Amino acid sequence: MNPKVSIIMGSDSDLPVMNQAKEILEELNVPYELTIVSAHRTPQRMFEFAENAHLRGIEVIIAGAGGAAHLPGMVAAISPLPVIGVPVKSSNSIDGWDSVLSILQMPGGVPVATVALNGAKNAGILAAQIVSVQDSALRDRIIAYKQKLTAQVEEKVRKLEK
Ligand code: RP5
């Protein structure tokens, strides 16, 4: 199946975090692609990616980066698609706040839906929810996923109160 979600990241060092987006998309059976696009080291590749993603059938972009994390914002500046930004606590990040604020504090007109530091799992769920607006079978899988979360907590409550 053609990918509907594109997971991009500034470096392969972001992979341990960004794999969490991949895993939840696999669990929810959402077709995705995953690659490296660096705003600073491969600016031309970033431009080409952002200009063409929607023409290839991509519906949502998840972009992860750390430190001076310009990738999500620059992709959002170029692409008409919704961009979900994942701040990564990377080797060049002071304490994670640099990554968070670089992705969060976008100027008016260019939104990036920013998840928590290292929050790639939630980025994957949010991307699936956006895709599910036009896909009722996927929406049913998301409903089942939420029911599973509830059941897991109820089981913990049951054990704790026993
Ligand atoms: C960012 O710099 C990348 O997204 C990564 O989080 C960080 C460090 O990259 P490497 O030096 O590990 O390649 O652009």
Side-chain angles (χ1 to χ4, degrees):
M1 257 217 282
N2 287 337
K4 291 191 173 175
V5 178
S6 187
I7 306 171
I8 59 171
M9 64 206 83
S11 168
D12 60 348
S13 63
D14 299 320
L15 250 185
V17 169
M18 298 308 291
N19 270 337
Q20 295 167 35
K22 177 184 120 160
E23 283 160 16
I24 192 72
L25 289 172
E26 280 174 3
E27 186 178 332
L28 292 168
N29 199 17
V30 179
Y32 67 89
E33 63 179 17
L34 180 146
T35 190
I36 298 165
V37 179
S38 169
H40 301 124
R41 294 167 177 155
T42 64
Q44 198 58 46
R45 176 170 162 77
M46 180 202 67
F47 262 89
E48 280 159 21
F49 169 85
E51 276 180 343
N52 292 314
H54 65 291
L55 304 175
R56 296 190 290 111
I58 299 296
E59 296 179 7
V60 188
I61 295 167
I62 298 173
H70 294 130
L71 179 66
M74 285 308 298
V75 169
I78 300 162
S79 174
L81 296 174
V83 176
I84 303 171
V86 182
V88 176
K89 190 168 185 319
S90 57
S91 59
N92 64 326
S93 174
I94 296 169
D95 57 5
W97 275 113
D98 42 8
S99 319
V100 170
L101 296 176
S102 298
I103 297 176
L104 183 66
Q105 292 300 114
M106 289 295 291
V110 189
V112 170
T114 309
V115 295
L117 186 67
N118 291 344
K121 182 176 184 177
N122 274 358
I125 295 168
L126 183 55
Q129 288 171 321
I130 293 169
V131 173
S132 81
V133 170
Q134 302 270 24
D135 182 340
S136 60
L138 175 55
R139 176 160 291 169
D140 288 344
R141 294 197 291 279
I142 291 168
I143 290 168
Y145 175 78
K146 291 179 98 64
Q147 286 167 342
K148 191 176 80 180
L149 291 183
T150 300
Q152 284 169 348
V153 175
E154 283 170 352
E155 174 65 8
K156 287 177 187 171
V157 170
R158 199 184 56 75
K159 279 188 184 152
L160 198 66
E161 293 183 352
K162 197 160 63 174

